[in-house]
Amino acid sequence: MHDTTAVAELQANAAAGGVPGKSANPHYRRYPTIDYLRRAARARLPHFAFEYCDGGSGKDDAGIKRNWASLDAVELVPRYGVMPSLPPCEVDLFGRRYAAPIGIAPMGGPAIVWPGADLALARAAQRARIPYTLGTVGCATIEEIAEVAPDVFWFQLYRCARNDHAVGFDLVRRAAAAGCHALMLTLDVPVRTTRAREVVVGLGGAFDPDVKMLMQMARSPAWVAALWKNGIPRFANLRRYVGENASIDDLVEFARREIGGGFTWEEVARYRELWRGTLIVKGVLHPQDAEKAAALGVDGLFVSNHGGRQIEALPAAIDALPAIVAAVGKRATVMMDSGIRSGSDVVRAFALGAQAAFAGKAFLWGLGALGDDGPAHVIELLIEETKAALGQIGALTPADARSVAIRHPGALAF
Ligand SMILES: Cc1cc2nc3c(=O)[nH]c(=O)nc-3n(C[C@H](O)[C@H](O)[C@H](O)COP(=O)(O)O)c2cc1C
């Protein structure tokens, strides 16, 4: 090495394909990685909002920590001498072209973290051309999202089984009428569990701020301004079943009654019949469940442990991924989430057979740090880091990442 100064390194980077966009991105200097966004979110958000988005189930967020440690433990052995410039990282998913193998996972209450978050996330995804998944209990309607994100719109459904799935089937019909591209059935919430950090800050039920929460809001004027502009977070999609004038308490009560239990395979088969478009099941961690889904004609699977939010005893999604790809990768599109915090993580997932890796909390930290600008910054960081990681290991395309040598100490054998 002749010259190790930062300037020389920058020039070398530029010559090798560079880091386009970073210098033009006003947020890059302060938030060069997602971890910086998390720290800023902790400092800027009302305490209850940060605790809601950042916490997991069980003791000491053990499931979240396992997701991170298991991803960090995956090593990719680079091959040099192929002179890659930053490779393109576009992917095809279910017959559509997306800008990168990344996406936004469904979230029920991003509007608690940042009022107006659902629409901000959807708009950023549409601009960047990556999939955005609206949650059943999100705070924007199916119809609103179809309007702002027509090219990237996926919808997640929780089990609403009362009256022979009247509400569940109606939500699916609405999604179809709105032109949604993929329906995602969440399998991994068969029971309600406790997230202690959420409970102690007072977010056990309806969003009903007590004095402590009001004081926390007073210290976050930007958050209050977003609340003023967008209104109190509420389950927007359920409103028409409860009544347009329904109070927040009514909506929460309705959601409690209506939503619950995990989809059975018989129910998945019924949704397969009803929904002609792309059908995905989310929360698969066992290859035999993956086999079951594929046999029912499901198009895609999400290997996921719900980001460590359901129970801390589950394996990390990245550790279950290879066995599931081996079982059904030829018959279904396997994707993953849970723990993704960088482009290196995306490439690890890709190298181990996922067609795409989605993130949840990373986007919420972005919202917490930067408000409405946050999602676009997270997308840009993930895309550029993904390209850099591909270039660094000598992969000229995302698919090339599958041929590198990999050490994966936590890989599960079934
Ligand atoms: C605040 C929050 C709310 C969530 N709500 C839902 C939901 O309503 N439906 C669902 O299927 N998953 C939900 N998830 C799980 C995500 O879809 C995803 O599986 C998880 O966040 C991925 O892990 P990561 O946060 O480490 O990226 C939620 C996650 C968070 C952080």
Side-chain angles (χ1 to χ4, degrees), residues 114-195:
W114 190 257
D118 303 80
L119 285 168
L121 288 163
R123 286 195 180 102
Q126 169 75 20
R127 274 196 299 272
R129 218 167 19 93
I130 63 157
Y132 162 78
T133 321
L134 173 69
T136 307
V137 286
C139 298
T141 63
I142 290 169
E143 293 75 16
E144 285 168 324
I145 296 297
E147 184 103 16
V148 302
D151 301 317
V152 297
F153 175 26
W154 298 11
F155 177 66
Q156 173 266 336
L157 187 69
Y158 274 136
R159 182 172 178 272
C160 307
R162 278 163 30 98
N163 303 323
D164 195 28
H165 297 265
V167 169
F169 286 171
D170 192 61
L171 286 164
V172 169
R173 276 190 285 271
R174 283 169 62 187
C180 165
H181 306 313
L183 174 67
M184 188 185 288
L185 305 178
T186 297
L187 301 181
D188 63 2
V189 187
V191 294
R192 288 182 209 279
T193 56
T194 300
R195 286 183 290 272

Side-chain angles (χ1 to χ4, degrees), residues 52-53 105-108 137 156 158 186 282 304 306-307 309 337-340 359-361 364:
Y52 169 69
C53 79
M107 287 176 282
V137 286
Q156 173 266 336
Y158 274 136
T186 297
K282 173 171 183 277
S304 167
H306 216 94
R309 290 171 68 85
D337 73 21
S338 298
I340 297 292
K361 289 188 279 295
L364 301 182

Side-chain angles (χ1 to χ4, degrees), residues 187 265 268-269 272 279-281 284 286-302 324-334:
L187 301 181
W265 292 116
V268 172
R272 175 66 292 179
L279 184 69
I280 298 166
V281 290
V284 178
H286 198 295
Q288 283 172 10
D289 284 349
E291 296 271 8
K292 189 83 201 170
L296 291 175
V298 164
D299 306 290
L301 295 124
F302 251 65
I324 289 173
V325 171
V328 300
K330 290 201 168 67
R331 283 176 285 157
T333 300
V334 179

Side-chain angles (χ1 to χ4, degrees), residues 183-254:
L183 174 67
M184 188 185 288
L185 305 178
T186 297
L187 301 181
D188 63 2
V189 187
V191 294
R192 288 182 209 279
T193 56
T194 300
R195 286 183 290 272
R197 285 169 66 186
E198 227 173 87
V199 175
V200 296
V201 294
L203 286 174
F207 182 71
D208 184 15
D210 60 13
V211 177
K212 256 189 178 169
M213 291 163 81
L214 289 171
M215 281 163 63
Q216 292 163 18
M217 287 183 204
R219 278 183 238 120
S220 299
W223 189 93
V224 174
L227 183 71
W228 188 255
K229 187 171 148 206
N230 294 288
I232 304 257
R234 60 182 80 213
F235 303 142
N237 282 308
L238 303 182
R239 211 157 162 180
R240 75 164 65 169
Y241 310 113
V242 192
E244 286 306 320
N245 297 324
S247 69
I248 294 189
D249 283 342
D250 294 339
L251 280 166
V252 170
E253 179 53 34
F254 179 82

Side-chain angles (χ1 to χ4, degrees), residues 256-275:
R256 280 243 161 85
R257 244 188 3 249
E258 193 64 36
I259 300 177
F263 286 101
T264 64
W265 292 116
E266 289 72 28
E267 288 168 340
V268 172
R270 287 184 74 188
Y271 278 90
R272 175 66 292 179
E273 247 173 56
L274 179 72
W275 173 263

